Amino acid sequence: MNDPRHWTELHEGRLTAMIDIAIAAGRHTLRYYQADDLDVIAKSDDSPVTVADREAEQLTRRLVGERFADDTIQGEEFPTQEGTSAYRWTVDPIDGTKSFVCGVPLYSTLLALEMDGQPLGGVIFIPALGEIAAAAIGHGCWHASELPRGADATTVGTDLRWASARVSKKDDLGRSVFVTSQVDSFAEQGAAAAYQSLEKQAWITRTWGDGYGYLLIATGRADLMVDPICNAWDVAAVLPVVVEAGGRFTDWSGQVTAQGGNGLGTNGMIHDAVLKHLAG
């Protein structure tokens, strides 16, 4: 399997563009990160949105449109822009907005690429930490943890020091690290007992969630990440990252999907055991 430096010719450069565009959008959010005058707005579901979310998504749409004008683009903050090609981009400019508005660095920029409805690749970028995971189906998952801040964000993807990302080898749920985004979201879905069961069974439980939680799965630092509530833009990039790192990503019924509803990412070895806790 080849690292991202060898992806330049694949799909007319879309996979390397996926990395560069995610980095550019994520870096844009840093203009507002920990800003004293950040304007936070409550959406209809009371989740927070900021000018950083909107500007980063607009930047993503512009950069995709400049190079691949016929592609479809969907995202969290604006209506889907329909294209005529077989390709679709899905962006979540700030996944973990609550962390972002609190000045916590565990938020991510997510960008995914599909062709004819099938995943091609995904990026999880943690702007405040300079950490990134990128995957392309059939070409593995790759991780870089020292993103050069001064480099040009539109060409940096091929210049990073990439290392192969692999999930952990733990096969015992009792020795696992369980991460999620927000505990009360289990109760909102009538799954409080499932959370309590997993918390009791797992070795360590932490709310290192959102896209960062899935990056931890892909790099072997955590073993299961559970989402009781998620949308397509929350997980479209996650599926290829986790799968190409050797893990599994499904919904709670065990179906491989990036369409949202709920989600489970694991190292694969404990996946079926976790599904049993979520079955109720």
Side-chain angles (χ1 to χ4, degrees):
M1 292 183 290
N2 294 322
D3 71 38
R5 291 172 293 181
H6 300 89
W7 298 354
T8 54
E9 302 302 320
L10 300 176
H11 298 279
E12 299 175 306
R14 283 178 174 83
L15 288 169
T16 48
M18 174 186 70
I19 298 170
D20 294 332
I21 292 169
I23 291 172
R27 282 181 167 172
H28 186 85
T29 68
L30 293 174
R31 300 183 183 185
Y32 300 97
Y33 176 62
Q34 295 185 341
D36 293 335
D37 58 348
L38 181 65
D39 186 17
V40 179
I41 306 164
K43 294 193 287 189
S44 59
D45 61 356
D46 285 333
S47 60
V49 65
T50 69
V51 64
D53 296 78
R54 294 174 174 177
E55 288 186 3
E57 182 166 326
Q58 288 170 331
L59 175 61
T60 300
R61 289 169 179 262
R62 178 173 64 80
L63 292 174
V64 170
E66 287 174 353
R67 293 190 58 180
F68 311 106
D70 296 330
D71 293 0
T72 295
I73 310 173
Q74 69 172 2
E76 181 176 10
E77 304 302 336
F78 299 97
T80 298
Q81 179 180 322
E82 298 291 346
T84 57
S85 76
Y87 295 95
R88 178 172 65 182
W89 301 75
T90 301
V91 58
D92 189 344
I94 297 181
D95 185 57
T97 308
K98 292 177 181 178
S99 292
F100 179 83
V101 300
C102 291
V104 175
L106 307 184
Y107 73 92
S108 59
T109 296
L110 305 177
L111 186 60
L113 179 64
E114 299 175 2
M115 184 177 72
D116 292 325
Q118 298 301 312
L120 283 182
V123 176
I124 302 174
F125 176 41
I126 315 297
L129 299 180
E131 191 171 350
I132 188 169
I137 298 299
H139 296 277
C141 179
W142 301 87
H143 176 246
S145 58
E146 295 183 2
L147 196 67
R149 290 183 178 271
D152 181 354
T154 60
T155 59
V156 73
T158 54
D159 296 329
L160 294 177
R161 295 182 178 179
W162 295 102
S164 180
R166 299 299 298 174
V167 297
S168 73
K169 297 181 180 179
K170 294 179 184 176
D171 59 2
D172 180 0
L173 186 54
R175 297 176 54 245
S176 66
V177 177
F178 164 34
V179 294
T180 191
S181 299
Q182 188 164 331
V183 173
D184 62 7
S185 60
F186 284 83
E188 292 177 17
Q189 300 303 303
Y195 171 81
Q196 293 166 359
S197 177
L198 285 171
E199 182 182 44
K200 181 178 180 180
Q201 183 68 29
W203 174 48
I204 294 174
T205 301
R206 291 290 183 270
T207 49
W208 301 326
D210 303 304
Y212 183 69
Y214 289 111
L215 185 143
L216 293 178
I217 301 300
T219 54
R221 290 175 281 176
D223 310 295
L224 63 145
M225 164 72 190
V226 184
D227 255 327
I229 310 169
C230 58
N231 298 291
W233 50 79
D234 296 315
V235 293
V238 163
L239 189 154
V241 167
V242 171
V243 169
E244 287 296 312
R248 287 178 64 185
F249 181 85
T250 70
D251 63 15
W252 288 15
S253 71
Q255 179 182 358
V256 178
T257 177
Q259 296 307 306
N262 49 47
L264 169 64
T266 75
N267 66 0
M269 302 181 75
I270 59 173
H271 201 90
D272 290 337
V274 178
L275 286 174
K276 290 180 179 178
H277 286 266
L278 300 175

